[in-house]
């Protein structure tokens, strides 16, 4: 019987006609990160002046001005908050897994993402593969376990979804929230941009618990579709990563929950650990970009060793 020869993935297959160099995607991804970094800094400074209501209010106002001035992000979130419905989310999950878009290993997927987002743009601080390596290397430097290092290495690979036929940027990046239950708009960035979402007036989806039960656990709720949820579902079935790693992947953009503490009425006892997992991960994602740009060729042997521990040779994407 002849041995099947792996067919290399051809990057040109996944180039988007509406964003051939991936720069529109990169720009909005960075803008989303900038908002979350700004909010975390504002919160940290407010906490430092816990005795001063004036300082806390001033910090909130500074952040509000930063958000209000970021028009591209606002337009992005208008689209996301309008289109992320229960109906869309069910269909997105069906389409994503009806057949594999590609079969490739982890490092190959990293190189594909790196190829599809043009790093030659002068506004790009680091390539996609450099950001992944920066995240992993920051964890390695701090002595984090190998499973966490490799989680940092892969955490953004779900962004391949953009090149696998997503409807746009709004269903790939951005802060996530629960679909199928009342949306706590006061805990979500650009809280006034949900007005056109039909689920807001749905007789079930607009209620506090919606289609869920109190304390059902976060494992049992549907998170708005994007690169986190996609990668989580891929890795849940095709890796040996521990539950903590899967939590980090799935919930690291779920800011309304882990930062603003919305949706606590869905938590169960296990979600105390889920929260600890996500909070341990997020600083490395947001703050790992530095002046030190890793050299992929030098680090590849080490990370290929880790990859072999937790993943099969090929993954169906």
């Amino acid at each position: 019987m002849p041995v099947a020869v792996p067919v290399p993935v051809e990057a040109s297959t996944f180039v988007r006609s509406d964003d051939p160099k991936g720069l529109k995607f990169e720009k909005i991804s960075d803008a989303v990160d900038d908002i979350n970094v700004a909010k975390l800094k504002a919160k940290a400074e407010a906490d430092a002046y816990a005795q001063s209501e004036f300082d806390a209010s001033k910090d909130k106002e500074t952040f509000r001005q930063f958000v209000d001035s970021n028009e591209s992000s606002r337009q992005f979130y208008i689209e996301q908050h309008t289109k992320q419905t229960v109906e869309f989310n069910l269909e997105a999950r069906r389409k994503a897994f009806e057949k594999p878009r590609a079969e490739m290993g982890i490092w190959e997927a990293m190189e594909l993402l790196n190829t599809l987002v043009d790093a030659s743009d002068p506004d790009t601080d680091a390539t996609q593969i450099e950001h992944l390596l920066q995240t992993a290397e920051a964890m390695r430097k701090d002595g984090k376990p190998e499973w966490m290092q490799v989680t940092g290495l892969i955490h953004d690979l779900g962004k391949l979804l953009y090149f696998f036929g997503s409807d746009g940027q709004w269903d790939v990046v951005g802060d996530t929230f629960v679909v199928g239950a009342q949306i706590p708009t006061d805990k979500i960035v650009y809280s006034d941009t949900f007005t056109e979402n039909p689920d807001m007036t749905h007789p079930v989806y607009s209620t506090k618990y919606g289609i869920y039960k109190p304390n059902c656990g976060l494992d049992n709720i549907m998170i708005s579709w994007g690169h986190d949820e996609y990668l989580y579902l891929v890795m849940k079935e095709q890796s040996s990563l521990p539950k903590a790693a899967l939590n980090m992947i799935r919930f690291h953009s779920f800011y309304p929950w882990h930062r603003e503490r919305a949706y606590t009425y869905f938590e169960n006892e296990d979600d105390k650990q889920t929260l600890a997992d996500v909070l341990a991960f997020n600083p490395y994602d947001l703050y790992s970009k530095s002046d030190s740009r890793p050299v992929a060729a030098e680090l590849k042997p080490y990370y290929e060793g880790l990859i072999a521990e937790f993943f099969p040779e090929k993954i169906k994407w």
Side-chain angles (χ1 to χ4, degrees):
M1 180 179 293
V3 177
V5 178
V7 178
V9 174
E10 180 56 57
S12 61
T13 306
F14 303 108
V15 173
R16 290 182 67 111
S17 60
D18 61 346
D19 191 8
K21 294 187 176 182
L23 296 181
K24 295 177 183 176
F25 179 67
E26 176 74 351
K27 183 177 180 180
I28 199 64
S29 295
D30 287 346
V32 167
D33 285 346
D34 287 346
I35 286 176
N36 285 316
V37 170
K39 189 150 194 176
L40 286 173
K41 287 181 177 178
K43 185 177 186 299
E45 291 171 12
D47 289 346
Y49 295 97
Q51 301 301 315
S52 170
E53 287 298 320
F54 171 76
D55 284 318
S57 298
K58 184 176 65 175
D59 250 355
K60 291 177 182 177
E61 177 65 15
T62 300
F63 173 72
R64 187 191 64 77
Q65 290 173 355
F66 176 84
V67 169
D68 288 348
S69 67
N70 200 327
E71 184 59 28
S72 63
S73 293
R74 180 175 182 81
Q75 292 304 315
F76 164 81
Y77 275 111
I78 288 174
E79 188 170 18
Q80 188 208 58
H81 292 166
T82 299
K83 295 180 177 179
Q84 286 277 3
T85 63
V86 171
E87 181 181 9
F88 166 77
N89 272 263
L90 293 173
E91 180 63 10
R93 284 161 173 78
R94 185 195 68 77
K95 287 171 58 179
F97 297 105
E98 61 183 354
K99 65 177 181 179
R101 277 62 168 252
E103 291 191 28
M104 54 187 166
I106 292 294
W107 195 272
E108 190 178 2
M110 291 166 58
E111 290 179 332
L112 177 61
L113 183 62
N114 204 58
T115 300
L116 293 171
V117 179
D118 186 358
S120 65
D121 183 79
D123 293 330
T124 301
D125 294 329
T127 67
Q128 296 296 306
I129 207 166
E130 284 173 344
H131 171 57
L132 294 173
L133 286 168
Q134 283 173 333
T135 304
E137 282 292 279
M139 293 173 173
R140 182 183 177 189
K141 182 180 179 181
D142 283 353
K144 299 302 180 183
E146 291 181 342
W147 64 261
M148 188 170 175
Q149 295 174 37
V150 84
T151 301
L153 185 72
I154 70 164
H155 76 280
D156 269 349
L157 288 184
K159 290 181 178 179
L160 284 168
L161 189 63
Y162 181 64
F163 303 99
F164 288 166
S166 71
D167 286 355
Q169 301 166 1
W170 61 270
D171 56 338
V172 180
V173 294
D175 294 3
T176 57
F177 56 94
V178 176
V179 293
Q182 185 180 72
I183 299 171
T185 54
D186 61 319
K187 302 292 187 180
I188 299 178
V189 67
Y190 298 107
S191 59
D192 61 331
T193 57
F194 284 93
T195 55
E196 299 303 314
N197 186 315
D199 288 0
M200 293 290 285
T201 55
H202 189 279
V204 177
Y205 306 154
S206 63
T207 62
K208 181 176 181 179
Y209 301 116
I211 59 178
Y212 312 105
K213 294 181 179 180
N215 308 116
C216 61
L218 298 186
D219 280 347
N220 297 305
I221 62 175
M222 187 159 53
I223 302 292
S224 55
W225 183 246
H227 76 284
D228 300 348
E229 191 75 355
Y230 169 65
L231 185 63
Y232 160 72
L233 291 170
V234 170
M235 293 303 147
K236 182 182 178 183
E237 299 299 324
Q238 300 184 70
S239 79
S240 60
L241 289 172
K243 182 67 163 61
L246 296 176
N247 288 339
M248 292 171 180
I249 291 169
R250 189 183 189 206
F251 297 117
H252 74 268
S253 299
F254 192 20
Y255 285 96
W257 171 66
H258 67 71
R259 182 176 63 202
E260 305 299 333
R261 301 303 288 131
Y263 302 117
T264 54
Y265 40 80
F266 288 137
E267 293 177 353
N268 61 20
E269 278 300 308
D270 292 342
D271 291 323
K272 293 179 181 177
Q273 183 58 49
T274 303
L275 181 62
D277 295 336
V278 178
L279 293 179
F281 172 84
N282 267 47
Y284 292 100
D285 180 28
L286 291 178
Y287 293 125
S288 61
K289 293 179 180 178
S290 66
D291 293 333
S292 176
R293 299 181 72 158
V295 180
E298 294 177 0
L299 297 173
K300 184 177 180 179
Y302 173 77
Y303 284 106
E304 282 194 321
L306 294 192
I307 288 167
E309 288 186 39
F310 296 98
F311 307 99
E313 186 177 344
K314 295 290 183 181
I315 287 176
K316 294 180 180 179
W317 297 89

